[in-house]
Amino acid sequence: MAVIGVTGGIGSGKSTFSKMLADHLSARLFDADSAARELLESDPAVREKITAELFAEAYTPDGKPDRAAIRRLVFQDPAAKARLESILHPRIRERWTQLAAECRQNATPLVVEIPLLFETGAERFFDRIATVACSHETQLARTAARSLPRDEAESIIRSQIPLERKTTLAYFVVWNDGSLTNLENQASELAKILQKPLS
Ligand code: ATP
């Protein structure tokens, strides 16, 4: 059974689609963003490294990550962003590669939602990769609806491989500018393809 990578751009609908696809496939689901949040919240080694090497104000006095502060800091300082990623990314990869090995052993399908799949050179771990894409306007509208300031959204979009390029790098492209029903239909169709033996 396949290990499927789902990627895309900020607000393109990766999470929504990954859940739909995993449901249709009865697959395990790994979400790299949730793993990053969990590492920030509950891994003492991560907290220690970030506060000692990067920025003490990334955590509140009671030890909780201050996500807004972290976002601001990395927004202002690309070098800090790179260092934060160098702390988190190897740990996240270790988690999902371990899960992928388990799933392969148990013949269980796995959907891995990983926003920076191409940026982190993770292509080789997947049997198939799907890019979930939408127009730039839709990305901005979706991120604005989540109260992300427009300049920060634009900056995140600029820091990633362009979504158009991600569509050319993926095996499957899911166009998510339409309704949720439309997205659900695409998840259902893709699941049918993935349920057949892959060559
Ligand atoms: P991020 O990178 O920011 O985590 P994402 O690519 O995972 O975003 P989602 O979280 O799936 O994107 O979607 C962003 C928002 O847009 C969510 O509120 C989701 O419900 C909504 N959304 C996604 N696709 C559609 C759609 N086709 N129609 C309406 N709303 C949608």
Side-chain angles (χ1 to χ4, degrees), residues 135-199:
S135 65
H136 188 70
E137 295 68 39
T138 301
Q139 268 187 297
L140 290 176
R142 289 194 187 134
T143 48
R146 283 188 325 197
S147 310
L148 183 65
R150 190 184 167 106
D151 58 342
E152 288 187 30
E154 294 271 22
S155 159
I156 291 168
I157 290 170
R158 272 198 306 277
S159 75
Q160 299 179 348
I161 293 176
L163 198 40
E164 247 178 46
R165 172 95 183 111
K166 290 188 182 185
T167 63
T168 67
L169 294 171
Y171 195 95
F172 296 110
V173 175
V174 174
W175 186 248
N176 183 29
D177 240 17
S179 65
L180 285 170
T181 307
N182 180 280
L183 189 64
E184 179 75 51
N185 291 341
Q186 294 187 79
S188 161
E189 290 298 318
L190 184 56
K192 283 182 202 149
I193 295 169
L194 293 169
Q195 273 158 343
K196 293 181 189 148
L198 301 175
S199 57

Side-chain angles (χ1 to χ4, degrees), residues 84-164:
L84 179 66
E85 289 178 348
S86 77
I87 295 169
L88 295 176
H89 286 173
R91 290 171 166 84
I92 297 170
R93 180 175 291 195
E94 194 182 314
R95 288 186 174 194
W96 63 257
T97 51
Q98 235 166 48
L99 180 59
E102 271 170 42
C103 286
R104 286 192 194 282
Q105 202 154 36
N106 307 331
T108 307
L110 171 67
V111 175
V112 180
E113 181 202 339
I114 172 165
L116 301 180
L117 191 157
F118 295 118
E119 287 86 345
T120 56
E123 297 92 320
R124 69 183 184 281
F125 294 99
F126 299 102
D127 299 301
R128 292 287 185 269
I129 294 168
T131 289
V132 181
C134 64
S135 65
H136 188 70
E137 295 68 39
T138 301
Q139 268 187 297
L140 290 176
R142 289 194 187 134
T143 48
R146 283 188 325 197
S147 310
L148 183 65
R150 190 184 167 106
D151 58 342
E152 288 187 30
E154 294 271 22
S155 159
I156 291 168
I157 290 170
R158 272 198 306 277
S159 75
Q160 299 179 348
I161 293 176
L163 198 40
E164 247 178 46

